[in-house]
Amino acid sequence: MGYCSRSITNITIESQFYGYCTGESPRVLVDLSDAEFLASMGIRLLILNAKSVFSRGGRMALLRPKTEIRNRLEITDVAMIILIYDGLESAEVMLLA
């Protein structure tokens, strides 16, 4: 039962996130400031949706990841695909440019 519950939660999160990334030229800002951990599944979700967003002329940015998560994003080269910002204003400027 617990396994099924987690699977449904993962599918729900993935579907909701995909919904934010749809449409023509989407602008997506992912606030990671409250995230304590980012598993490989989360990294995969970010990369797949970023590629989809970029292919439709959109932009995606990550906001305020904690040091451990930022390091993971840099080690896995996600930071080369999706820009990371520490400040909301600078992220918004890039997204709206």
Side-chain angles (χ1 to χ4, degrees):
M1 180 88 88
Y3 175 77
C4 183
S5 174
R6 274 185 244 132
S7 294
I8 290 169
T9 301
N10 290 341
I11 291 168
T12 300
I13 290 170
E14 196 166 327
S15 296
Q16 287 177 343
F17 188 63
Y18 176 76
Y20 294 127
C21 298
T22 59
E24 181 91 17
S25 300
R27 303 294 193 245
V28 181
L29 181 59
V30 182
D31 186 356
L32 295 172
S33 61
D34 289 333
E36 296 294 329
F37 180 76
L38 185 61
S40 59
M41 201 168 175
I43 291 171
R44 176 185 167 277
L45 184 69
L46 289 172
I47 292 170
L48 290 176
N49 281 285
K51 288 181 178 181
S52 174
V53 165
F54 299 150
S55 74
R56 287 176 283 112
R59 296 176 182 210
M60 180 183 284
L62 305 177
L63 182 63
R64 296 186 279 243
K66 293 185 172 135
T67 303
E68 184 178 318
I69 292 175
R70 180 185 285 266
N71 291 341
R72 180 171 262 234
L73 294 168
E74 290 172 354
I75 288 169
T76 57
D77 288 337
V78 172
M80 295 181 75
I81 300 168
I82 310 170
L83 296 177
I84 301 173
Y85 292 89
D86 291 320
L88 178 60
E89 287 183 24
S90 56
E92 287 178 333
V93 167
M94 186 282 297
L95 287 173
L96 299 174

